Each structure stands twice: as structure tokens, then as C-alpha cells.
């Protein structure tokens, strides 16, 4: 066995290894010829012959040898021809045809791997002699050990298509076995379930993350350069229309008002003196300067009137905590506070670009907020933004929706998940369409068209 294994594993390919093994067997057993074959598409194909390579000139001989191997494999037993009188009778028609060409005696032993007949070894002797049962058993044991090694080498060299075909055939054979009734029942149930999933429609929904905003948001900005003097509210506080929310320091504006008020008095006095003197030139100059001072004074009065930031409507402060910035300088146009109505909201849904084609105005949906996970709020789509925005490595479209019911616990800034009903589709398609679209896009990127 060690010598046979050494001859088998001393080469890299199946053909040379099997030929070396056949030659070693012929030398040790005293055979005229040893042939090794494997089942290929239900028939045995000879892969090696001792002391020589297979050529096209030996096609008829290979056919007869393969038929003799098939005879042994189909009977799943060792076949000896001529058959000894004390052996179990076997069908030996193909062996007799082989002996008519070559004469002598032939012994074919099948190769078994994992309870599967994968090939056979045919030994031909020049002279007919007695067959010792014990010796025949030893040969069968030897080939039982050598067969798996040959089978693994053959399988590693086969194309992947044939390996897949063999695997599928093995699975089918195993599936048809008498003891596999539960497997057939389970597979049938699974197939029935897949068919049902491919037929039964479901309410198909798309959506994404959502946030609640005020239907109208008013931004209060600094009317002029100055400093924050007082803050009366913080984010979350409810406010009434006209309520003072914050105040800016007005000392600088008051000083500027005094300045222009003084200049206005001077120009008015100059205007009166020029009129008394009948000095028309000075009269016109004084009148123009007085008008300029009045305009500047009106501008300062307007700015003084706006240093008190008032709520434009009843609502709630959603942004701007000025209590931590008292005395801080601000510039004209700086955003200080944001006020939103308490009872009018809108929902902004971030829909992935792959799903935006399904969204239409007036479609119905539902919203589940993180603060209210057990209560869903009905909504209706009213607007779809025409341009996508990049967000966390993907493009999203903002879809605006109105809430059909607004609980008292609703607040601007709450976030959650919104789902919009876009129609009906089979359950299986709804679960797998994303994968199908990804595969289609990848295939188009690779091959185009």
C-alpha cells in the first residue's frame, strides 16, 4: 500500500498519477494490463492504462474496457471472467467481449467513495488461473483506500461546470432517496411559500427619517449693532403675540438721538435767524440741514423702537438661548431667536433618491416619532423638493407632508420615521427589489446597454 500510494501521489495531474498507479499495480500483481476509469455522464471513461499513454488508435479497445467497467459498476460488485465455479454468478457479457480480443482472464473491481460508485479498476492477466478469495478481498480493500485519493485528484481537475453538475445530480439523487420524505415535504412547502409570496400583494411603502417643524417659523434678528441687555424667554417657552422676548442695550442709540436732536434745534434756530434777516441763501441751507437732522432723528427713533424684540404671533420659542449671552455684542442681522406656532406643524421626510420616483403629491402615510413610538400620526404629502441634497453619503429628497391630527404633545424638532403608501406590490418583490435594482445597476456598469 505504501508503494502504491507513493506512485499515486508522486505526480501532480490525474492522468500521470493514475498511469503510475496502474503500472505499479501491473508490476506487483503480474498483470498483462491494468486500466483505471471513472464514471463520466453515466458511462465509464478510461483515464489511464499501465505502461503506456492513451491514444486515438486505442479507441475501440477503450470502448470495450469501459463497457466491462460499466458492467461491474452497474452490478456494484467485483466481476471475474471467466467466472469461477464457486463464485456468485455475475453478468459478464462485456468481459467476454474483452476476452475475445485479448484472451486470458479479467478482474474488475469498482471504486467506491462515500457510498457512491465513481469508477473501476480492470486487471487483465495473460493466463487463466485460480482466483483466491482471500487475495481478491485484499485487492478490494486496497482499492477502497486508493479510490478516494484518485477521486479527489479527478474532482480537483474537473471544470467548475461539471463539478456543479455532479453536485446537483448528487443532491437530486439524495433528494429522491426513500428516507427523504420529510425533505421533499419541506422543500415543497418552501416552494409553495415562495410562490405565495410572489403572488400575494401587500401595501408597499417607502419613506425615511422625518422631523417635525413649525408650519411657519419667524426669525428675530438684531435690528442694529449693539449689546444684549435682557432675555425674557428660553427655547421651549410659550409666547403670546406682542410679548417682549429680549431687549438690546439702547444707550448708544439714545446718545445718537440726543446728538441729532441737538443738531435739529441748531438748524431750526439758524433757519429762524436767516428768515429774520431775509437771507435767502442761509435760509435754504439751514432748511436742508434741518431736514437731514429730522431724517436721522426718525431713523434713530425707529431703531430705538426695535430694540425690544416682540413675538410676532402666539407660539413657542424653538431656538435661541440668550440668557447665556447677556452683554455680548451683536451685529445688525444676527439671528437671535426663532419662533414657531404651537398648533401648526409640517413634517419633512428625507426620501432616498432610489425611492423618490414612487412619491406623488396627495399620497397618504404615517409618522412614528421617537418621543411617541407607540402612536402613529397620519400624514399627507403636499410638496416634493425638485433637487436632491447630499446627506451621510447618500442623496435624499425632502418631501413635505401635513399632519392630519396633531396631539398636544407635539413639538417642533421631534424626529422619527415616516412611511408613505405608494401602492400594492407582491411581498417577495417588495423584499427583494432593492437587491434586484443593485444587481441591475452593477451589470449595466460592467457591460453597459
Amino acid at each position: 500500500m505504501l508503494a502504491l500510494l507513493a506512485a499515486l501521489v508522486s505526480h501532480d495531474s490525474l492522468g500521470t498519477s493514475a498511469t503510475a498507479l496502474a503500472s505499479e499495480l501491473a508490476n506487483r500483481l503480474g498483470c498483462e494490463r491494468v486500466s483505471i476509469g471513472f464514471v463520466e455522464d453515466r458511462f465509464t471513461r478510461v483515464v489511464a492504462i499501465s505502461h503506456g499513454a492513451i491514444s486515438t488508435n486505442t479507441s475501440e479497445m477503450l470502448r470495450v474496457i469501459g463497457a466491462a467497467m460499466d458492467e461491474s459498476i452497474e452490478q456494484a460488485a467485483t466481476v471475474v471472467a471467466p467466472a469461477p465455479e464457486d463464485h456468485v454468478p455475475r453478468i459478464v457479457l462485456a468481459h467476454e467481449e474483452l476476452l475475445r480480443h485479448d484472451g486470458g482472464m479479467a478482474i474488475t473491481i469498482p471504486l467506491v467513495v462515500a457510498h457512491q460508485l465513481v469508477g473501476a479498476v480492470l486487471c487483465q492477466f495473460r493466463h487463466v488461473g485460480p482466483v483466491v478469495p482471500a487475495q481478491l478481498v485484499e485487492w478490494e480493500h486496497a482499492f477502497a483506500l486508493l479510490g478516494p485519493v484518485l477521486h479527489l485528484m479527478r474532482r480537483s481537475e474537473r471544470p467548475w461546470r461539471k463539478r456543479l453538475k455532479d453536485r446537483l445530480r448528487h443532491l437530486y439523487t439524495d433528494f429522491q432517496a426513500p428516507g427523504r420524505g420529510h425533505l421533499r415535504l419541506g422543500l415543497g412547502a418552501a416552494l409553495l411559500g415562495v410562490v405565495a409570496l410572489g403572488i400575494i400583494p401587500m401595501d408597499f411603502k417607502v419613506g425615511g427619517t422625518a422631523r417635525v417643524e413649525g408650519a411657519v417659523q419667524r426669525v428675530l434678528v438684531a435690528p442694529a449693532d449693539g449689546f444684549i441687555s435682557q432675555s425674557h424667554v428660553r427655547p421651549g417657552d410659550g409666547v403670546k403675540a406682542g410679548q417682549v422676548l429680549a431687549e438690546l442695550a439702547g444707550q448708544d442709540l439714545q446718545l445718537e438721538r440726543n446728538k441729532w436732536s441737538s443738531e435739529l434745534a441748531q438748524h431750526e434756530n439758524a433757519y429762524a435767524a436767516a428768515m429774520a434777516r431775509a437771507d435767502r441763501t442761509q435760509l435754504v441751507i439751514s432748511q436742508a440741514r434741518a431736514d437731514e437732522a429730522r431724517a436721522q432723528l426718525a431713523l434713530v427713533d425707529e431703531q430705538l423702537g426695535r430694540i425690544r424684540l416682540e413675538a410676532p404671533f402666539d407660539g413657542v420659542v424653538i431656538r435661541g438661548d440668550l440668557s447665556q449671552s447677556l452683554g455680548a455684542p451683536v451685529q445688525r442681522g444676527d439671528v437671535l431667536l426663532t419662533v414657531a406656532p404651537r398648533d401648526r406643524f409640517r413634517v419633512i421626510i428625507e426620501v432616498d433618491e432610489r425611492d423618490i420616483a414612487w412619491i406623488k403629491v396627495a399620497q397618504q402615510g404615517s409618522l412614528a416619532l421617537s418621543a411617541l413610538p407607540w402612536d402613529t400620526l397620519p400624514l399627507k404629502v403636499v410638496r416634493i423638493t425638485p433637487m436632491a441634497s447630499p446627506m451621510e453619503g447618500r442623496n435624499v429628497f425632502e418631501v413635505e407632508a401635513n399632519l392630519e391630527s396633531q396631539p398636544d404633545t407635539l413639538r417642533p424638532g421631534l424626529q422619527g420615521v415616516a412611511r408613505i403608501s405608494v401602492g400594492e406590490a407582491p411581498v417577495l418583490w417588495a423584499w427583494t427589489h432593492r437587491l434586484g435594482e443593485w444587481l441591475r445597476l452593477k451589470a449595466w456598469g460592467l457591460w453597459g446597454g
Side-chain angles (χ1 to χ4, degrees):
M1 282 302 302
L2 291 177
L4 293 176
L5 286 173
L8 180 60
V9 301
S10 59
H11 302 279
D12 296 332
S13 64
L14 172 65
T16 55
S17 297
T19 301
L21 175 62
S23 300
E24 186 68 21
L25 283 169
N27 293 334
R28 291 185 174 274
L29 301 180
C31 301
E32 177 69 17
R33 181 169 59 203
V34 175
S35 304
I36 300 176
F38 284 97
V39 177
E40 187 78 35
D41 295 331
R42 296 182 301 173
F43 297 99
T44 304
R45 183 176 67 89
V46 179
V47 298
I49 297 177
S50 60
H51 304 300
I54 300 175
S55 64
T56 56
N57 298 329
T58 59
S59 58
E60 179 61 23
M61 178 188 68
L62 296 178
R63 184 193 66 79
V64 176
I65 294 175
M69 291 180 177
D70 287 335
E71 202 169 55
S72 174
I73 293 173
E74 290 175 358
Q75 298 178 79
T78 300
V79 175
V80 180
E85 296 181 357
D86 55 345
H87 279 217
V88 178
R90 302 291 183 189
I91 299 175
V92 293
L93 297 178
H95 285 75
E96 290 177 351
E97 181 182 359
L98 175 63
L99 295 179
R100 281 197 296 269
H101 289 81
D102 299 336
M105 182 178 65
I107 300 176
T108 305
I109 301 176
L111 299 177
V112 182
V113 177
H115 305 287
Q116 182 181 3
L117 296 167
V118 297
V121 177
L122 190 150
C123 301
Q124 293 179 249
F125 298 88
R126 183 181 299 274
H127 303 289
V128 179
V131 178
V132 181
Q135 189 178 21
L136 194 60
V137 172
E138 289 182 359
W139 294 356
E140 293 175 345
H141 290 171
F143 292 145
L145 296 175
L146 297 171
V149 180
L150 284 169
H151 178 66
L152 290 175
M153 297 180 66
R154 169 178 172 266
R155 190 170 61 178
S156 64
E157 293 184 2
R158 286 169 59 82
W160 66 268
R161 297 181 184 85
K162 291 188 177 181
R163 293 201 301 268
L164 177 61
K165 183 178 179 181
D166 291 343
R167 183 60 179 170
L168 293 176
R169 183 185 295 114
H170 176 72
L171 291 176
Y172 179 75
T173 303
D174 187 60
F175 180 74
Q176 292 292 334
R180 296 291 185 174
H182 62 283
L183 180 61
R184 292 192 291 270
L185 181 61
L187 185 60
L191 182 60
L192 183 61
V194 171
V195 173
L197 291 177
I199 297 176
I200 299 176
M202 65 171 291
D203 188 16
F204 182 50
K205 298 181 179 181
V206 299
T209 58
R211 65 180 183 274
V212 178
E213 295 181 352
V216 178
Q217 293 186 4
R218 184 66 60 85
V219 176
L220 304 181
V221 300
D225 297 345
F227 300 88
I228 299 175
S229 174
Q230 297 182 26
S231 176
H232 304 292
V233 293
R234 299 178 63 182
D237 292 345
V239 296
K240 298 292 184 179
Q243 178 181 343
V244 177
L245 308 182
E247 298 182 29
L248 300 181
Q251 292 85 348
D252 293 343
L253 291 175
Q254 187 63 44
L255 291 175
E256 188 172 358
R257 185 184 188 286
N258 294 338
K259 167 190 170 183
W260 288 112
S261 178
S262 177
E263 289 189 9
L264 176 61
Q266 292 178 7
H267 295 319
E268 287 178 345
N269 291 336
Y271 175 81
M275 178 175 276
R277 296 194 306 270
D279 188 350
R280 297 179 62 85
T281 302
Q282 187 63 36
L283 180 67
V284 173
I285 294 174
S286 299
Q287 185 178 5
R289 290 177 176 175
D291 291 341
E292 179 186 4
R294 289 191 189 93
Q296 292 293 340
L297 186 60
L299 177 61
V300 173
D301 288 339
E302 178 67 20
Q303 292 176 345
L304 280 172
R306 289 188 294 166
I307 63 174
R308 295 161 58 91
L309 303 180
E310 299 178 353
F313 47 73
D314 295 349
V316 61
V317 178
I318 63 173
R319 191 177 297 112
D321 188 0
L322 302 181
S323 62
Q324 304 298 319
S325 304
L326 296 179
V330 294
Q331 295 181 348
R332 182 177 182 178
D334 287 349
V335 177
L336 302 180
L337 297 167
T338 303
V339 181
R342 185 185 292 274
D343 56 352
R344 289 184 296 158
F345 300 95
R346 68 177 183 178
V347 179
I348 302 298
I349 308 168
E350 298 170 358
V351 179
D352 193 278
E353 61 180 351
R354 295 174 294 181
D355 297 327
I356 193 60
W358 298 95
I359 305 299
K360 301 292 186 296
V361 175
Q363 288 176 337
Q364 303 290 328
S366 57
L367 170 68
L369 297 172
S370 300
L372 305 168
W374 306 113
D375 297 329
T376 57
L377 306 177
L379 54 81
K380 181 179 180 181
V381 177
V382 296
R383 190 184 305 275
I384 304 172
T385 56
M387 183 175 294
S389 302
M391 183 171 297
E392 297 180 358
R394 60 191 183 98
N395 286 341
V396 298
F397 286 82
E398 290 191 348
V399 176
E400 181 181 341
N402 288 338
L403 291 172
E404 298 184 359
S405 63
Q406 300 180 1
D408 296 337
T409 55
L410 205 61
R411 294 289 184 273
L414 293 179
Q415 295 185 348
V417 177
R419 308 293 291 175
I420 302 172
S421 298
V422 298
E424 290 188 347
V427 178
L428 186 61
W429 180 89
W431 290 350
T432 60
H433 77 282
R434 187 79 78 194
L435 176 61
E437 293 171 356
W438 181 83
L439 292 175
R440 180 180 178 184
L441 185 61
K442 289 297 182 182
W444 187 91
L446 290 175
W447 298 294

